[in-house]
Structures are given as structure tokens and as C-alpha cells.
Amino acid sequence: VVNPRKRLAELRKSFRQGAAVRVTDGPFATFLATLERLNSDMTVDVEVSILGRPTKCRLSVTDVRIEPETEGLDIRAEAA
């Protein structure tokens, strides 16, 4: 059994605000999103572009993966 606090601490190392994540499950599967926040209930708040408009949604951490080339980078700062 994994300690939830320990798992959350491990996730915080790679889930950084502004990082690019790929949605892997659900209605937004395959969408690229920007990570806004990692929540203590093992969910993430992300921003997805839907029909050209930024849309915020909350997903399980199991429904997203960090895009390797942007891990630990703030992609919003790169775009500015």
C-alpha cells in the first residue's frame, strides 16, 4: 500500500505548474494541456484549448502524463 502523502510528494517533483501534459483518458484524450495545479486529492487542474478557447478542467493524475520534452519547464514562459 502506497502512502498518499509520499505519492503526492513524488508527483510534485515532476508535476510543475505550467508544464505541458497529455490527456490520456476521457473526453479530452490526446489533447495537450497546461498544468495549473496538483491537488492534494490526487487530481490536477489543467487548461485545455477547446475550439480555440482555453478551458479549465480537473482530471485525475492517472488521466494525464507529463510531456517528456517539457518536464519541469514552464511552457507559458517559453511562449512569451
Side-chain angles (χ1 to χ4, degrees):
V1 178
V2 176
N3 179 335
R5 286 185 181 171
K6 186 175 181 179
R7 177 71 176 133
L8 189 61
E10 290 171 1
L11 288 172
R12 289 197 191 282
K13 293 177 185 175
S14 59
F15 280 63
R16 305 257 183 215
Q17 183 178 16
V21 294
R22 181 74 58 185
V23 181
T24 59
D25 196 21
F28 304 118
T30 75
F31 280 45
L32 189 62
T34 303
L35 182 69
E36 297 289 322
R37 179 182 171 153
L38 174 62
N39 302 304
S40 60
D41 63 352
M42 304 300 280
T43 61
V44 288
D45 294 333
V46 297
E47 187 173 275
V48 179
S49 179
I50 300 174
L51 300 175
R53 294 180 182 236
T55 305
K56 294 184 186 236
C57 56
R58 182 167 289 176
L59 304 168
S60 169
V61 294
T62 61
D63 293 340
V64 298
R65 68 172 164 77
I66 299 290
E67 286 292 282
E69 63 274 4
T70 61
E71 188 171 344
L73 297 177
D74 186 338
I75 61 171
R76 291 174 299 185
E78 296 290 320

